[in-house]
């Protein structure tokens, strides 16, 4: 980390000049353990922040310019815009995310008096579905709050501002999970979040005998955002059909039994499958957290696997590569559970693997995957870290 910061500082000085009040920040990526596609259905999620994420260095300017540079996209150079030009554009590239957060702050009446220079460096593999964009949004929010003295904002506010910017500025209709995990993460804990009320609880992840392994399929299928937005629409249609026969506000209000009782009210078969996933996944998440609290790791793993099956068959957000990774993991000795994690259509699986089996897991699954798909998967043995903060 010291080395990273040193390189970032020299690059910052080279691009933007030395001196002034230069401040450093970090916001993590996330992995979701269970509770997938429930966050826009009023259900529960159970993500944790990672120790990989996005680092930022920032300093206020005297004029209204925004000058942004990413060490991950160095070929794009410094991308310049201004506080008077807060509209998304193709040429703004990755800077649409920080710009979106500045815009979202302004929508809340929090205007910036001057612009800033901002250099970032991300350690989340791009396109992996570990929330590099949410981490960049929360990083920007954390930086703006500190640099411009928006002290009234809580970390939850920063998560909401990040989500708002992604929804309204960047056109991705995501739920609150990713930004919430990046803002509110806590070392060695997962966050049990009720997305309906935003009430949450930290659950210590005590896995002395296991490791969390993320496997990156290194595939990202096209039209992910539009497929995601389609799922949302299908759930909304199912909800509105159900509301004709039962008094509920969200799909998360239903138990499995209630769903079975009322499901015929959902006219479209696809929408019925989507709603089934949302309802069952929410209940699975509640049960998984209960299992973890009683140290019943076997039951936790069983629910994690069931989550994958439901995402594969009912929600249809998995893909051939991630099905292969999860299904192969299930057959490995020492694997407690494995599932696709995040938005889906590619990206990563998360597996809970016995300490003694991690090397074999990485070796065996790595070899089989490369053989089948002709390209390598990547494996990260991850630690659970803290939410966004100033360094
Ligand atoms: C993406 C979204 C989240 C959530 C997940 C699926 O990561 O950004 O809000 O909906 O997909 O659980």
């Amino acid at each position: 980390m010291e080395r990273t910061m040193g390189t970032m500082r020299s690059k910052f000085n080279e691009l933007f000049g030395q001196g002034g009040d230069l401040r450093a920040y970090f916001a993590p990526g996330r992995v979701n353990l269970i509770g997938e596609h429930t966050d826009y259905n009023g259900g529960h999620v159970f993500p944790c922040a990672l120790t990989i994420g996005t680092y930022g260095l920032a300093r206020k300017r005297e004029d209204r310019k925004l000058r942004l540079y990413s060490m991950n996209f160095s070929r794009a150079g410094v991308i310049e815009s201004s506080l008077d030009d807060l509209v998304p554009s193709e040429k703004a590239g990755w800077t649409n995310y920080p710009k979106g957060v500045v815009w979202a702050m302004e929508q809340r009446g929090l205007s910036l008096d001057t612009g800033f220079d901002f250099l970032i460096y991300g350690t989340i593999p791009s396109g992996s579905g570990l929330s590099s964009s949410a981490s960049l949004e929360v990083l920007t929010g954390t930086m703006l709050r500190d640099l411009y003295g928006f002290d009234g904002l809580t970390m939850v506010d920063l998560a909401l501002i990040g989500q708002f910017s992604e929804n309204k500025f960047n056109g991705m209709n995501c739920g609150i999970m990713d930004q919430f995990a990046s803002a509110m993460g806590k070392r060695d804990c997962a966050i049990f979040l009720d997305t309906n009320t935003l009430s949450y609880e930290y659950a210590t992840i005590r896995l002395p005998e296991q490791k969390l392994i993320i496997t990156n399929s290194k595939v990202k299928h096209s039209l992910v955002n539009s497929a995601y937005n389609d799922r949302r629409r299908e759930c909304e249609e199912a909800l509105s059909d159900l509301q004709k026969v039962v008094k509920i506000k969200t799909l998360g209000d239903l138990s499995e039994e209630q769903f079975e009782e009322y499901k015929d009210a959902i006219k479209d078969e696809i929408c019925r499958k989507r709603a089934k996933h949302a309802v069952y996944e929410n209940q699975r998440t509640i049960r998984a957290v209960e299992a973890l609290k009683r140290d019943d790791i076997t039951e936790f793993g069983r629910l994690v696997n069931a989550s994958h099956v439901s995402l594969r068959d009912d929600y249809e957000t998995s893909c051939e590569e991630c099905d292969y990774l999860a299904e192969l993991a299930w057959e490995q000795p020492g694997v407690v559970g494995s599932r696709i994690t995040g938005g889906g259509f590619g990206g990563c699986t998360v597996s809970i693997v016995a300490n003694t089996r991690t090397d074999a897991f990485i070796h065996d699954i790595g070899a089989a995957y490369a053989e089948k798909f002709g390209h390598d998967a990547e494996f990260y043995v991850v630690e659970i870290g803290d939410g966004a903060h100033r360094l």
Side-chain angles (χ1 to χ4, degrees):
M1 210 268 277
E2 283 306 309
R3 259 237 318 274
T4 308
M5 269 296 138
T7 319
M8 288 177 68
R9 271 176 210 281
S10 359
K11 193 72 197 168
F12 190 98
N13 291 339
E14 177 195 321
L15 294 170
F16 303 121
Q18 302 207 352
D21 182 8
L22 181 59
R23 302 188 190 179
Y25 306 90
F26 173 74
R30 65 95 188 91
V31 64
N32 188 25
L33 299 180
I34 191 164
E36 214 67 81
H37 292 281
T38 47
D39 67 343
Y40 48 86
N41 283 311
H44 293 76
V45 291
F46 197 48
C48 36
L50 297 169
T51 52
I52 51 174
T54 316
Y55 294 87
L57 276 178
R59 187 174 62 203
K60 268 190 179 185
R61 296 179 56 87
E62 314 230 301
D63 55 18
R64 293 179 60 78
K65 282 185 187 160
L66 305 175
R67 303 194 74 216
L68 303 125
Y69 181 85
S70 164
M71 289 176 45
N72 303 87
F73 299 107
S74 51
R75 297 242 305 275
V78 173
I79 300 182
E80 193 171 306
S81 59
S82 122
L83 291 173
D84 305 311
D85 168 38
L86 295 176
V87 281
S89 72
E90 206 170 306
K91 75 173 195 324
W94 68 270
T95 69
N96 281 313
Y97 291 103
K99 276 177 77 173
V101 175
V102 175
W103 172 84
M105 290 268 183
E106 297 218 328
Q107 297 300 302
R108 275 203 172 210
L110 298 168
S111 292
L112 278 57
D113 47 355
T114 61
F116 54 83
D117 294 327
F118 196 25
L119 176 140
I120 67 147
Y121 174 63
T123 55
I124 304 170
S126 84
S128 59
L130 301 175
S131 292
S132 55
S133 47
S135 96
L136 178 53
E137 289 154 7
V138 173
L139 178 81
T140 307
T142 307
M143 177 274 282
L144 293 174
R145 178 176 75 164
D146 182 60
L147 214 53
Y148 293 85
F150 298 147
D151 299 335
L153 295 175
T154 63
M155 289 311 282
V156 174
D157 291 330
L158 295 185
L160 288 164
I161 288 169
Q163 182 201 15
F164 185 76
S165 76
E166 182 139 354
N167 291 170
K168 305 289 181 206
F169 197 87
N170 281 300
M172 162 73 175
N173 222 351
C174 65
I176 189 63
M177 172 170 72
D178 304 346
Q179 291 80 4
F180 200 94
S182 182
M184 298 294 291
K186 189 168 154 187
R187 201 188 154 151
D188 294 332
C189 291
I191 313 169
F192 182 43
L193 169 69
D194 178 345
T195 62
N196 201 19
T197 59
L198 291 193
S199 64
Y200 64 94
E201 185 188 315
Y202 291 109
T204 308
I205 301 296
R206 267 186 312 270
L207 294 172
E209 285 159 28
Q210 287 91 12
K211 297 248 177 322
L212 281 181
I213 302 186
I214 295 177
T215 307
N216 187 353
S217 69
K218 310 252 319 211
V219 295
K220 195 81 213 158
H221 293 287
S222 53
L223 302 175
V224 172
N225 285 11
S226 70
Y228 182 94
N229 291 344
D230 286 347
R231 294 297 179 283
R232 275 199 84 140
R233 219 175 337 92
E234 287 155 1
C235 287
E236 277 157 24
E237 192 179 320
L239 176 65
S240 110
D241 283 347
L242 284 166
Q243 283 171 330
K244 294 183 187 123
V245 295
V246 54
K247 212 166 161 278
I248 48 167
K249 286 215 182 71
T250 69
L251 293 176
D253 294 338
L254 289 178
S255 65
E256 290 113 322
E257 295 72 29
Q258 287 169 316
F259 178 78
E260 294 303 328
E261 186 180 340
Y262 298 117
K263 69 179 181 194
D264 292 338
I266 306 170
K267 291 190 227 72
D268 183 81
E269 193 193 330
I270 300 273
C271 297
R272 205 177 307 131
K273 273 168 53 163
R274 307 299 190 239
K276 179 178 179 205
H277 167 80
V279 170
Y280 277 66
E281 178 77 354
N282 181 41
Q283 298 301 328
R284 264 194 293 274
T285 306
I286 297 169
R287 279 195 204 112
V289 176
E290 284 165 3
L292 208 61
K293 282 187 182 156
R294 8 169 245 277
D295 279 329
D296 187 349
I297 186 76
T298 309
E299 173 66 1
F300 187 79
R302 195 190 64 76
L303 292 160
V304 163
N305 295 347
S307 166
H308 183 86
V309 171
S310 178
L311 289 160
R312 183 190 67 192
D313 300 345
D314 287 333
Y315 218 64
E316 295 176 283
T317 51
S318 188
C319 60
E320 199 194 342
E321 293 85 350
C322 290
D323 286 342
Y324 185 74
L325 287 172
E327 287 160 19
L328 206 59
W330 297 341
E331 292 165 10
Q332 296 275 315
V335 172
V336 173
S338 183
R339 59 181 280 274
I340 186 170
T341 182
F345 310 105
C348 295
T349 60
V350 58
S351 310
I352 306 162
V353 184
N355 290 335
T356 52
R357 293 289 311 171
T358 55
D359 288 347
F361 177 93
I362 293 170
H363 176 271
D364 295 355
I365 294 189
Y369 186 83
E371 159 102 35
K372 181 155 170 79
F373 293 103
H375 65 93
D376 288 334
E378 271 175 14
F379 296 83
Y380 325 112
V381 181
V382 294
E383 280 164 50
I384 304 178
D386 281 322
H389 52 276
R390 187 174 165 182
L391 294 169

